[in-house]
């Protein structure tokens, strides 16, 4: 997937939006939505309006505000642009620019948008392809609560957004049409995969896992043809676009392709740019900067994958072009949160070789880091190459250490004990043999009392623990666990349960949940998308609507054989 490693940047004539232009841009966005002027910019207008609503009117649901523009047919002319201008006047510090990227990094001199091998550049310029049919804003994320947070053959980088705190975020459209890197694709995304990406990137953020964010989701009535399971059954689906956001969309593949083609001057230029922009602790003038950069990426990648494992998340396609250089989760395709515990769990039915099974993610991480090292090697001297190889050799220890820390916290263990690793492995073995639900086993251990465990009296509501309790070795594990809890200094059972519920979510985005939401969305019922948005913002807190929907219950029988593929 090297060819997709270069990126597409949108040639937007209003590339810089500062104080002097906020009124005219607000007016433009209004007119784009209402009159379909400047069709090449229509999609951007619709989506950026959603961003504006959610960013600068935190008390107002951005989706409801924009949907009103479509649904109010009694007097469609009255007051629309006036309201937009009033909104725009508040955007005193809103800027969107691509100047920082294109001023430093070379652009493809070929302006035509056709599939080809592109060399000696980092970006190609292309216009998104607008939808031709009616569009509908499905959902918007509330950006105001951000705390600190690459592209492919169907993504357009709009520019860099800077908020009032001076933080920079790269805005990218996914599903916005063909690019020079589309290969045989049409550059579109469909509704089902776009709903999945929108919901999962937000779910991961609230699970406190480094991730890209989804700002908004737009669906159209345009026909997109897909063979979902590659079995010759091509069907018509609805096109959709996600506006997604990250500090950077550069990936391991972004460097790998330059090294592959021997574009070493450009490789050095891009590396220095990435280090200067995103690794402030590294001095870009230091001769060992690439070594320090590699060490940081190795450490943070180990941390990221350990976090994935702690919530039972399998990415689905862990190739080098889906691994961020900032060690955030990107490109949500055929992902899956493990339901019945199984280290061989593969969410992607296209992965016939089970290369990206959940139990192999740490190994794939090391494989990708080795590819990163190979890309860096031409820029390293012999001593630096040796040190870099030693850094990579330390990856398993970094991963194992973080994995152990996370799972000890999931079990409420304080301090250190010689048998902690065995205790964790013992539980996972019982879960595998009984096919217990991964998420709810740990959550129910967070809620059950020690006395209930001691008596092996498992109430019916703890259905996942009851499943494990059927194993003949469960009493032995309980005895070891309770004995270990006694070594927690100055701890009580209530404190233990309180502590564990802050790290063991009650709700994760299981495939059956998102499938239910997608099925409704296909009928223009976005209620479950919105419900999941609400629930997944507080995954550690009990939510009455989520309980009614069965989000903490066993997987329903209709969803036992759900399949997800790369086709999106």
């Amino acid at each position: 997937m090297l060819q997709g490693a270069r990126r597409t940047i949108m040639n937007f004539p209003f590339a810089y939006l500062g104080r002097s232009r906020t009124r005219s841009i607000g007016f433009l966005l209004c007119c784009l939505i209402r009159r379909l002027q400047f069709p090449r910019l229509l999609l951007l207008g619709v989506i950026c309006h959603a961003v504006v609503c959610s960013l600068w009117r935190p008390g107002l649901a951005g989706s409801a505000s924009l949907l009103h523009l479509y649904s109010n047919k009694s007097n469609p002319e009255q007051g629309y642009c006036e309201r937009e201008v009033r909104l725009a006047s508040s955007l005193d510090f809103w800027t969107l620019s691509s100047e920082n990227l294109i001023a430093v990094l070379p652009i493809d001199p070929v302006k035509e948008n056709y599939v080809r091998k592109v060399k000696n550049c980092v970006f190609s310029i292309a216009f998104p392809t607008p939808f031709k049919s009616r569009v509908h804003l499905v959902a918007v994320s509330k950006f105001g609560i951000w705390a600190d947070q690459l592209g492919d053959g169907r993504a357009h980088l709009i520019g860099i957004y800077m908020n009032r705190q001076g933080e920079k975020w790269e805005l990218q459209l996914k599903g916005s049409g063909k690019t020079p890197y589309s290969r045989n694709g049409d550059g579109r995304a469909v509704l089902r995969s776009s709903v999945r990406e929108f919901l999962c990137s937000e779910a991961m953020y609230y699970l406190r896992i480094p991730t890209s964010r989804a700002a908004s989701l737009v669906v159209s009535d345009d026909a997109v043809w897909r063979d979902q399971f590659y079995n010759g059954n091509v069907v018509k689906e609805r096109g959709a676009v996600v506006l997604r956001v990250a500090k950077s969309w550069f990936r391991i593949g972004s460097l790998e392709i330059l090294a592959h083609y021997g574009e070493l001057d450009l490789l050095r230029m891009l590396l220095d740019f990435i280090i200067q922009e995103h690794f402030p602790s590294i001095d870009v003038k230091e001769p060992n900067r690439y070594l320090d950069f590699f060490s940081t990426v190795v450490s943070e990648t180990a941390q990221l994958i350990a976090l994935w494992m702690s919530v039972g998340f399998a990415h689905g396609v862990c190739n080098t072009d889906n691994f961020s250089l900032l060690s955030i989760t990107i490109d949500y395709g055929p992902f899956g949160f493990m339901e019945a515990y199984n280290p061989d769990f593969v969410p992607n039915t296209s992965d016939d070789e089970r290369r990206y099974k959940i139990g192999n993610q740490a190994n794939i991480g090391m494989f990708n880091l080795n590819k990163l090292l190979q890309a860096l090697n031409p820029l390293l001297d012999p001593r630096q190459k040796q040190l870099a190889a030693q850094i990579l050799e330390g990856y398993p220890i970094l991963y194992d250490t973080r994995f152990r820390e996370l799972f000890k916290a999931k079990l409420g263990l304080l301090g250190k004990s010689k048998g902690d690793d065995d205790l964790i492995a013992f539980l996972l073995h019982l879960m595998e043999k009984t096919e217990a639900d991964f998420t709810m086993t740990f959550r129910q251990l967070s809620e059950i009392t020690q006395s209930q465990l001691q008596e092996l009296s498992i109430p019916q509501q703890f259905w996942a623990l009851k499943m494990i309790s059927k194993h003949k070795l469960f009493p032995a594990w309980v005895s070891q666990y309770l004995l270990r809890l006694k070594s927690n200094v100055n701890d009580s059972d209530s404190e233990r349960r309180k502590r564990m519920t802050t790290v063991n979510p009650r709700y994760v985005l299981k495939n059956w949940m998102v499938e239910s939401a997608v099925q409704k969305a296909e009928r223009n019922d976005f209620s479950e998308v919105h419900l999941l948005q609400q629930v997944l913002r507080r995954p550690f807190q009990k939510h009455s609507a989520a309980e009614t929907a069965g989000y903490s219950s066993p997987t329903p029988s209709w969803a036992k054989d759900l399949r997800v593929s790369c086709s999106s």
Side-chain angles (χ1 to χ4, degrees):
M1 299 209 41
L2 286 177
Q3 184 57 32
R6 301 185 201 265
R7 305 295 158 201
T8 304
I9 190 166
M10 179 176 169
N11 189 8
F12 185 36
F14 291 88
Y16 178 81
L17 311 185
R19 293 192 181 198
S20 62
R21 294 191 180 180
T22 50
R23 288 179 178 269
S24 59
I25 293 301
F27 187 85
L28 171 64
L29 296 184
C30 165
C31 293
L32 286 170
I33 296 168
R34 184 165 60 92
R35 296 178 180 171
L36 307 187
Q37 292 181 356
F38 303 99
R40 289 186 294 186
L41 303 181
L42 171 62
L43 187 58
L44 177 67
V46 172
I47 297 180
C48 281
H49 174 89
V51 176
V52 169
C53 285
S54 61
L55 276 170
W56 300 103
R57 301 173 73 179
L60 178 67
S63 55
S65 174
L66 182 54
L67 289 175
H68 180 69
L69 297 180
Y70 295 114
S71 60
N72 184 358
K73 298 179 180 179
S74 59
N75 190 356
E77 297 293 323
Q78 183 177 0
Y80 284 177
C81 288
E82 288 80 359
R83 285 199 297 275
E84 298 307 308
V85 170
R86 286 199 300 273
L87 173 62
S89 67
S90 68
L91 308 184
D92 289 339
F93 300 99
W94 194 81
T95 62
L96 177 63
S97 174
S98 60
E99 292 177 358
N100 193 37
L101 291 171
I102 62 177
V104 176
L105 303 173
I107 301 293
D108 182 4
V110 179
K111 304 304 180 186
E112 291 77 15
N113 186 6
Y114 63 92
V115 177
R116 61 189 185 276
K117 284 192 174 181
V118 180
K119 295 186 178 181
N120 300 313
C121 70
V122 174
F123 292 106
S124 294
I125 293 178
F127 283 109
T129 305
F131 287 131
K132 298 178 180 179
S133 64
R134 176 180 66 97
V135 296
H136 184 96
L137 180 65
V138 174
V140 176
S141 292
K142 295 182 178 179
F143 280 26
I145 56 176
W146 281 21
D148 257 335
Q149 292 254 69
L150 240 156
D152 53 16
R154 53 182 173 174
H156 290 78
L157 176 64
I158 301 173
I160 300 174
Y161 158 76
M162 181 179 291
N163 66 16
R164 282 186 275 193
Q165 285 73 45
E167 299 169 328
K168 297 178 181 178
W169 302 91
E170 293 183 10
L171 277 64
Q172 188 183 79
L173 301 178
K174 182 175 181 179
S176 46
K178 286 187 176 182
T179 76
Y181 318 109
S182 295
R183 298 180 291 279
N184 296 322
D186 58 13
R188 287 301 190 197
V190 295
L191 176 60
R192 58 181 162 82
S193 64
S194 300
V195 168
R196 286 171 57 81
E197 172 140 9
F198 180 87
L199 289 175
C200 195
S201 55
E202 293 303 283
M204 293 286 274
Y205 173 74
Y206 291 105
L207 287 170
R208 301 189 287 268
I209 296 177
T211 180
S212 59
R213 300 292 304 276
S216 60
L217 168 61
V218 169
V219 63
S220 78
D221 291 330
D222 283 24
V224 178
W225 297 91
R226 288 290 185 271
D227 181 357
Q228 183 175 357
F229 297 112
Y230 306 101
N231 57 8
N233 183 27
V234 180
V235 298
K236 183 173 72 172
E237 302 188 51
R238 300 172 69 188
V241 171
V242 174
L243 175 62
R244 55 189 193 172
V245 185
K247 288 283 190 179
S248 172
W249 291 102
F250 288 118
R251 311 136 187 258
I252 292 177
S254 304
L255 304 179
E256 194 180 8
I257 191 172
L258 301 180
H260 178 81
Y261 285 116
E263 301 172 24
L264 301 187
D265 289 340
L266 184 50
L267 174 62
R268 185 177 289 104
M269 179 189 298
L270 179 56
L271 264 171
D272 288 345
F273 175 83
I274 292 171
I275 291 171
Q276 184 166 343
E277 289 291 314
H278 303 291
F279 293 80
S281 64
I282 301 175
D283 187 346
V284 75
K285 297 180 181 179
E286 278 291 321
N288 287 327
R289 62 189 181 279
Y290 302 144
L291 197 63
D292 295 339
F293 164 79
F294 182 65
S295 177
T296 301
V297 176
V298 168
S299 175
E300 293 185 353
T301 298
Q303 156 85 354
L304 175 65
I305 299 179
L307 284 168
W308 288 357
M309 299 297 287
S310 73
V311 295
F313 175 80
H315 185 279
V317 186
C318 296
N319 57 32
T320 56
D321 208 33
N322 284 341
F323 261 54
S324 164
L325 290 172
L326 272 60
S327 302
I328 62 174
T329 317
I330 56 174
D331 283 350
Y332 292 91
F335 67 84
F337 282 89
M338 185 166 50
E339 297 179 22
Y341 177 74
N342 177 9
D344 292 329
F345 169 62
V346 178
N348 179 8
T349 58
S350 306
D351 186 4
D352 297 327
E353 298 179 357
R354 309 179 77 83
R355 176 178 174 84
Y356 300 130
K357 65 183 182 181
I358 192 168
N360 201 36
Q361 289 189 136
N363 293 330
I364 289 295
M366 186 162 184
F367 176 90
N368 290 342
L369 290 168
N370 184 55
K371 293 298 183 182
L372 174 59
L373 177 55
Q374 291 178 26
L376 296 177
N377 267 336
L379 307 183
L380 305 179
D381 62 33
R383 172 186 159 277
Q384 291 172 333
K385 289 179 183 179
Q386 184 179 13
L387 291 173
Q390 293 173 2
I391 290 170
L392 184 58
E393 288 175 2
Y395 166 85
I397 296 175
L398 292 170
Y399 171 79
D400 289 343
T401 300
R402 189 61 181 129
F403 181 94
R404 183 184 302 111
E405 291 172 348
L406 290 167
F407 276 79
K408 283 178 60 178
K410 289 175 74 66
L411 288 175
L413 308 181
L414 300 177
K416 296 181 180 180
S417 177
K418 186 177 180 180
D420 285 348
D421 288 357
D422 291 338
L423 186 65
I424 295 169
F426 192 176
L427 176 61
L428 295 178
H429 172 75
L430 297 182
M431 292 171 64
E432 181 179 2
K433 292 301 181 182
T434 58
E435 298 183 341
D437 185 280
F438 178 83
T439 299
M440 292 311 297
T441 293
F442 284 101
R443 179 65 186 203
Q444 289 170 10
L445 280 173
S446 309
E447 297 173 346
I448 198 168
T449 65
Q450 290 189 42
S451 60
Q452 288 172 319
L453 277 175
Q454 177 100 41
E455 299 168 4
L456 298 177
S457 172
I458 311 297
Q460 189 61 42
Q461 71 262 30
F462 300 127
W463 54 269
L465 290 180
K466 285 189 73 70
M467 185 175 294
I468 300 178
S469 69
K470 296 177 182 178
H471 197 284
K472 63 181 180 180
L473 295 179
F474 180 70
W477 181 83
V478 169
S479 295
Q480 290 183 28
Y481 180 52
L482 294 178
L483 182 63
R484 173 62 177 86
L485 289 178
K486 288 182 180 179
S487 68
N488 284 351
V489 179
N490 298 323
D491 196 28
S492 66
D493 191 41
S494 60
E495 286 297 318
R496 186 242 348 149
R497 283 181 284 145
K498 180 180 179 181
R499 187 170 65 251
M500 288 173 65
T501 55
T502 65
V503 295
N504 290 312
R506 190 171 178 88
Y507 313 109
V508 295
L509 187 63
K510 296 179 178 178
N511 271 336
W512 74 264
M513 301 176 191
V514 71
E515 178 64 20
S516 176
V518 166
Q519 289 179 4
K520 292 177 182 176
E522 294 285 4
R523 304 190 297 269
N524 286 325
D525 176 2
F526 302 107
S527 59
E528 192 156 15
V529 173
H530 299 150
L531 173 60
L532 283 168
Q533 264 192 285
Q534 293 178 349
V535 171
L536 296 171
R537 284 186 185 128
R538 297 177 179 83
F540 303 98
Q541 299 177 17
K542 198 169 184 178
H543 192 292
S544 59
E547 297 299 305
T548 301
Y551 292 164
S552 63
S553 300
T555 300
S557 57
W558 64 264
K560 294 291 185 182
D561 297 319
L562 274 180
R563 298 188 298 158
V564 181
S565 76
C566 284
S567 172
S568 60

